[in-house]
Amino acid sequence: MIEPLYITTPIYYVNDRPHLGHAYTTIVTDVISRFARMKKQECFFLTGTDEHGDKIVRAAKKENLSPREYVEKISSLFKNLWPELNIENSYFVRTTDQSHVEVVENILRKIYDSGDIYFAEYEGQYCFGCERFYSERELVDGKCPDHGTAPEVIKESNYFFKMSKYQQWLLDHIEKNPDFIRPERYKNEVLSFLREPLEDLCISRPKSRLKWGITLPFDEDYVTYVWFDALLNYVSALEYPDGETYKKFWPHVQHIVAKDILKPHGIYWPTMLKSAGIPLYKHLNVHGFWNVDHSKMSKSIGNVVEPLQMKNIYGTDAFRFFLIRDMVFGLDSDYSEEAMVQRINSDLANDLGNLFSRVIAMVHKYFKAVVPNVDLSLEKEMELGLKEDAFNAVSCFESSMENFSFHKAMIAVWEFINRMNKYVDVTAPWILAKQKSTRKQLEAVIFNLLEGLRIVSGLIYPVMPDTAKTMQKHLGLDPETPFYTLDLLRSWNTIVPETKLPKGISLFPRIDFEKIQKERADIAASVLAEEKLPDITLEDLSRVDLRAATVIKAEIIPRAKKLLKLEVDIGEVRTIVAGIANDYKPEDLVGKQVIVIANLKPAKLMGILSNGMLLAAVEDGKSSVATLDREVKPGTSLR
Ligand code: MSP
C-alpha cells in the first residue's frame, strides 16, 4: 500500500485580495494532490488564511472595519476563489479558528515549560511591514530588504524562543537529509543562513502595541508573534495532538511555499517542531516568483493579476495549464497575458483541440459515431509504435511529476500529442476510407487514435480536470470509473468498442487577443468619454512632461494592425508605440516633429515597451498627430 500524503500551501495573509502568486501556489498544490489520486494515494491537502498581526490591523483600519469584520471578508475571498479555479482542498484553516488558537496555546505552553522560552529586554530595528526585528547584517543600506524602508528602533521586553540552541542540530539534519529542502539552491540558502550566528526568535508582541493576536498562555500582556502562530496551522488543521487525521497524515507532510518565506519555513519551523517534540516535515518544496511583464507584481505599478478575471476570460483549465507549463518549479517566471494567449492557441487550441475534434469527427463520419470493433492483429500492424510512445509519455510524465518538474510532465504529454498528429498524417484515414478493402485498417487507425486520446485525457487530468472529464465523456468512457489512474494509463485496448460517442466539440476555441485588447480599449475610451474631466491646477499640469520630439524611425508591427513602433529624439532616443497605423504610413512620420508625454509610465504593447505617448486628436476614429508650428530643438519642453 502506498503511503498517504499531506500537502500544504502557505496560509495567505488577508491584508490583500488573492492574486496570481497565491493562485499559482494553490494550483500547483492541487496538481500534486490530483497526481496523488492518479496513484491511488490518499492525500490531505491544506490551505487557509493567516489573520493576525499588525499588517491586518492596518489593512482593516484603511477600510474602516474592525479586524474581525475585515478578516471575515477577505478570508472568504480566498475560500471562495479556490473552487472557481477547480481547487479541491481537503480543509481550509484560519488562524482565528478557536481550534487553531487552542493548539497554539497548547504548544506555547509545552515549549515554555521545557525552558525554551525566556523573557528579556531587547532593543532592535523593527520593520512594521515584515513584523519582525532585523539584524544590522540583514539590512540593505540600512533599509528593510523587502520594503526598502528604514526600520524603526524599538526597545521593549519580550519573550524569546531559544532558536539558537537548535542551530547545529538543524545544520546536521539538513546535511544528512539533502532533499529536506528542495530544489538545492534553497537548501544552500538555508545552510548559508545557518552558518552565520543564529539569533533567538522574538515570539511575542506587547498588547500595548498590538492586540490582534493570540494571547500568550503564560502572560496576559502579550500576544503571539504572527509567524509563531501561523506556522502552527500545519498541525492545528489536523487536530494535533490526538486527532486521527494528525496521526495518519503528519508523518507524510510536505510543504509548498515560494522563496519569500524560506527562512520561517526552513529555520523557525523545524526548530519549533524539534522543541515541541513533533517530528519534522519530510520536504519543504520551494518555488520561485511570478513577475508580470518583467516587473515585480505590485499594486503601485498597477500590474497585479487577478486570477478570477483571467479565469473569466480564458477559462480555468487554460489558466491552470499556462501557469504549470510556463514555470520551472524553483525558478522565477514571467507572466504576460499575451504569452498566455500564445500558449493557449498553440498547445491547447491547435495541438490538442484540433486533434481531438478531428478524431471524434472521423468516428462520426466513417463509423456513424460508434467506436469501431477492431481486429487485434491489424491493430498491431497499424499501430506504428504509437502504443510504445504512449507508454513512454506516461512514464516520463510520472517521473517528472515525482520530481516536481511539472512543466516537463506537460512537455512529455505534448510530445505525444504531436506524435499523434503525425500519426494521423502518416496513416491518412481519409484515404483508407475511400476503399472497402482498407476498412479494417481504418478501424484499427481510429481505434488507436481513440486509445491515445484516452491516455492524454488521463495525463492532463491533474492540470486540466474539466477538459479531462469532457474528453472522457466524448470518448464514451464510463463516467463512474476514475479514468485517470496510472494503472489504466499503462494499459492499452480499454476503449470500449460499439460505444456511441456524443457529438464532437471544440475543446479550446482560438483566442483573438487583438480583439480582446480592442474591446478593452473601447470600454476604457467610452468610460473616459462619459466622464466629465475635473478642473486641474497649474501644479497638476506641471506633472505632465510634454516635449517636442523628432521622429527618427517608424515601422509597422507585424500582427498589430493599428500600431506603429516609433523611435523619437527627445534629447534622448525613446521607443513609443502609437495606435495610428490606420492613418499614417511609417514614411509619412519620419522627420516630423511631434509632441509626446515623456513621463507616462512605460507600458508593454504587443511585446514592445512603449516609453511615452504621442499626442493626436481623434475624430470619428481617425487620428491627426499634433505637430509644432516651427521646428525646435528635440526635447524642448512645452508649457
Ligand atoms: N502568511 C504568510 C505565510 C504563512 S505560512 C505559515 C505569507 N502570506 S502571503 O499572503 O504573503 O503569501 C506568500 C505566498 O504567496 C508565497 O510564499 C507564495 O506561495 C505566494 N506568492 C505571493 N506572491 C507570489 C508571486 N509573485 N509568485 C509566486 N508566488 C507568490 O507569507
Side-chain angles (χ1 to χ4, degrees), residues 10-13 19 21-22 25 50 227 230-231 233-234 258 260-261 265 287-290 297:
I11 48 169
Y12 305 112
Y13 284 130
H19 60 57
H22 307 123
T25 313
D50 188 352
W227 269 106
L231 286 160
N233 88 86
Y234 299 131
D260 56 332
I261 49 177
H265 283 83
H287 66 75
F289 252 45
W290 280 99
M297 191 165 42

Side-chain angles (χ1 to χ4, degrees), residues 549-552 568 584 588-594 625-627 631:
T550 306
V551 180
I552 313 169
V568 298
Y584 289 88
D588 299 338
L589 291 163
V590 177
K592 252 202 172 94
Q593 200 155 53
V594 295
V625 168
T627 54
E631 193 164 334

Side-chain angles (χ1 to χ4, degrees), residues 351 389 392-393 396 408-422:
D351 299 344
D389 289 341
N392 284 340
C396 184
K408 274 199 185 149
M410 290 302 103
I411 291 173
V413 180
W414 259 258
E415 274 173 8
F416 179 60
I417 289 172
N418 292 331
R419 166 75 175 86
M420 285 182 71
N421 272 316
K422 287 201 189 96

Side-chain angles (χ1 to χ4, degrees), residues 35 76 133 174 182 208 214 227 280 305 364 505 529 574 603 625:
F35 176 58
S76 61
F133 286 102
I174 297 177
R182 56 192 186 186
S208 52
I214 299 177
W227 269 106
L280 295 198
V305 179
H364 279 263
I505 51 149
R574 288 278 186 94
V625 168

Side-chain angles (χ1 to χ4, degrees), residues 328-500:
V328 177
F329 192 92
L331 303 181
D332 290 352
S333 216
D334 193 60
Y335 178 93
S336 84
E337 211 175 322
E338 200 185 351
M340 177 160 77
V341 170
Q342 270 172 19
R343 178 64 76 196
I344 296 172
N345 281 342
S346 71
D347 290 18
L348 300 182
N350 211 30
D351 299 344
L352 173 61
N354 279 350
L355 173 71
F356 191 69
S357 40
R358 250 170 123 189
V359 173
I360 301 291
M362 288 194 280
V363 182
H364 279 263
K365 187 165 172 198
Y366 304 137
F367 300 101
K368 297 203 178 89
V370 175
V371 176
N373 219 329
V374 66
D375 175 332
L376 276 186
S377 63
L378 266 178
E379 185 228 307
K380 279 221 166 64
E381 183 189 317
M382 295 306 293
E383 190 227 295
L384 310 177
L386 194 71
K387 178 170 148 187
E388 198 187 328
D389 289 341
F391 292 161
N392 284 340
V394 175
S395 65
C396 184
F397 163 90
E398 190 183 353
S399 58
S400 305
M401 293 292 286
E402 293 289 358
N403 293 329
F404 281 58
S405 284
F406 308 109
H407 73 295
K408 274 199 185 149
M410 290 302 103
I411 291 173
V413 180
W414 259 258
E415 274 173 8
F416 179 60
I417 289 172
N418 292 331
R419 166 75 175 86
M420 285 182 71
N421 272 316
K422 287 201 189 96
Y423 179 82
V424 176
D425 296 341
V426 170
T427 53
W430 50 93
I431 295 180
L432 298 175
K434 281 194 180 140
Q435 290 171 26
K436 264 214 166 113
S437 60
T438 47
R439 180 80 183 162
K440 289 260 168 248
Q441 276 89 336
L442 178 66
E443 285 171 357
V445 165
I446 298 296
F447 193 84
N448 285 333
L449 283 168
L450 290 172
E451 272 300 328
L453 284 174
R454 175 185 65 80
I455 290 179
V456 169
S457 75
L459 294 178
I460 64 167
Y461 163 76
V463 179
M464 297 194 283
D466 278 347
T467 309
K469 276 183 208 135
T470 308
M471 288 177 72
Q472 174 197 29
K473 182 171 148 216
H474 285 264
L475 290 168
L477 300 169
D478 172 17
E480 301 305 320
T481 316
F483 57 101
Y484 45 74
T485 55
L486 279 175
D487 49 6
L488 272 178
L489 303 183
R490 288 196 205 96
S491 62
W492 197 252
N493 278 341
T494 61
I495 280 278
V496 190
E498 311 290 353
T499 314
K500 178 136 181 146

Side-chain angles (χ1 to χ4, degrees), residues 525-537:
S526 69
V527 169
L528 259 184
E530 275 167 28
E531 261 176 29
K532 185 181 165 331
L533 295 177
D535 294 339
I536 60 167
T537 61

Side-chain angles (χ1 to χ4, degrees), residues 9-17 19-26 48-51 55 78 95 226-227 229-234 256-262 264-265 269 286-292 296-297 327 332-333:
T9 74
I11 48 169
Y12 305 112
Y13 284 130
V14 291
N15 63 334
D16 211 348
R17 301 166 60 80
H19 60 57
L20 173 73
H22 307 123
Y24 172 74
T25 313
T26 319
T49 42
D50 188 352
E51 306 184 8
K55 263 194 221 287
F78 279 90
T95 54
V226 66
W227 269 106
D229 157 0
L231 286 160
L232 291 169
N233 88 86
Y234 299 131
I256 311 281
V257 298
K259 61 182 187 180
D260 56 332
I261 49 177
L262 176 62
H265 283 83
W269 184 221
V286 187
H287 66 75
F289 252 45
W290 280 99
N291 295 318
V292 174
K296 193 173 167 186
M297 191 165 42
M327 175 170 265
D332 290 352
S333 216

